[in-house]
């Protein structure tokens, strides 16, 4: 049976931002690569935004695998002050096409913040309405760094994958 959840958290980067980065910040790029390698195996999808030294990430998937991933993410020394903003059951995925969509610094985000009377990206102060608006914006923004790479459909969430059967028998490793 489907036990899908959406988990949204924020955190603060612990690394020094690369000064001369022309595109995506190198540490963020490594995190993104890691996510895109790992998440499909766990049928996890979502979106990652990095702005003003803060991460905002939305993870969607089966409750047990999302909980295992967030436990791993919380131990990651590349960031700290992890704060969960939202953890809700969902009947279907919003990010069913992305193992991890990435949204670079965006003028549309600034416009949304302004609309909510905020002048910087400080997700620790976000109210529920802004969180929902942001997820909706991230869902619809197209991003040159991100192309849909998944095709999760709700049907597949209702039966265990081969990987889930395997991990329930032998464990997920690290
Ligand atoms: P490993 O095989 O352990 O590592 C692969 C490589 O990544 C290593 O060679 C090393 O260079 C580098 N690395 C791993 N861990 C660290 C670390 N703590 N510090 C510095 N370098 C490291 N992982 C996901 O699988 N999915 C996600 O959606 C996801 N989102 C993240 C969001 C944020 C903001 C952060 C900070 C991390 C996120 N991670 C995510 C990474 C996660 O915390 C783990 O590092 C990762 O899942 C370990 O994967 P692995 O066991 O395959 O990597």
């Amino acid at each position: 049976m489907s036990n899908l959840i959406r988990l949204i958290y924020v955190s603060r980067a612990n690394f020094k931002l690369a000064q001369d980065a022309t595109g995506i910040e190198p540490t963020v790029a490594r995190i993104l690569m890691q996510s895109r390698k790992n998440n499909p195996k766990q049928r996890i999808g979502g979106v990652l935004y990095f702005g003003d030294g803060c991460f905002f990430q939305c993870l969607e998937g089966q409750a047990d695998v999302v909980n295992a991933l967030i436990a791993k993410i919380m131990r990651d020394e590349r960031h700290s002050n992890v704060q969960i903003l939202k953890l809700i059951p969902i009947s279907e995925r919003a990010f069913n096409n992305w193992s991890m969509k990435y949204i670079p610094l965006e003028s549309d985000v600034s416009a949304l913040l302004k609309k909510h009377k905020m002048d910087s990206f400080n997700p620790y102060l976000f109210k529920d309405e802004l969180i929902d608006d942001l997820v909706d914006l991230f869902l619809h923004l197209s991003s040159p760094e991100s192309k849909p790479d998944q095709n999760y459909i709700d049907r597949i969430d209702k039966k265990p994958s081969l990987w889930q059967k395997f991990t329930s028998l032998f464990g997920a490793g690290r």
Side-chain angles (χ1 to χ4, degrees):
M1 213 189 85
S2 172
N3 192 15
L4 278 180
I5 59 167
R6 176 178 303 141
L7 185 153
I8 299 173
Y9 75 87
V10 295
S11 64
R12 205 171 287 284
N14 277 344
F15 49 89
K16 202 163 175 265
L17 300 192
Q19 297 289 312
D20 58 350
T22 45
I24 172 168
E25 206 288 333
T27 304
V28 178
R30 275 196 293 278
I31 290 170
L32 207 50
M33 267 171 53
Q34 232 173 344
S35 308
R36 288 177 180 166
K37 182 187 83 164
N38 292 343
N39 292 356
K41 295 179 218 155
Q42 304 285 354
R43 294 175 190 251
I44 287 180
V47 64
L48 179 70
Y49 177 80
F50 182 66
D52 291 341
C54 287
F55 288 104
F56 178 103
Q57 189 175 34
C58 169
L59 299 166
E60 291 178 343
Q62 294 293 324
D64 53 346
V65 287
V66 172
N67 288 333
L69 177 59
I70 191 65
K72 196 151 87 161
I73 289 175
M74 280 173 148
R75 292 193 298 269
D76 196 311
E77 287 162 7
R78 290 170 286 190
H79 67 165
S80 54
N81 297 340
V82 176
Q83 194 172 305
I84 293 174
L85 298 183
K86 212 164 199 177
L87 174 57
I88 50 165
I90 49 173
S91 54
E92 57 185 47
R93 298 164 188 265
F95 296 92
N96 57 356
N97 285 332
W98 289 273
S99 60
M100 194 45 59
K101 185 175 186 181
Y102 178 70
I103 305 290
L105 261 181
E106 259 292 338
S107 56
D108 289 359
V109 175
S110 310
L112 182 64
L113 293 178
K114 231 179 221 159
K115 190 180 142 204
H116 286 263
K117 309 211 174 344
M118 299 196 77
D119 49 17
S120 69
F121 189 81
N122 184 350
Y124 293 95
L125 301 178
F126 286 0
K127 301 234 164 57
D128 229 38
E129 200 192 346
L130 174 52
I131 296 167
D132 292 343
D133 283 356
L134 206 53
V135 170
D136 195 52
L137 176 66
F138 290 164
L139 185 60
H140 295 104
L141 273 179
S142 60
S143 151
E145 279 84 1
S146 251
K147 291 206 172 59
D149 62 349
Q150 295 297 327
N151 185 20
Y152 294 129
I153 47 171
D154 297 329
R155 205 159 31 82
I156 63 171
D157 289 315
K158 293 182 177 120
K159 16 179 193 155
S161 66
L162 273 178
W163 173 254
Q164 282 168 332
K165 281 183 192 159
F166 177 83
T167 53
S168 70
L169 285 173
F170 302 109
R174 275 183 306 143

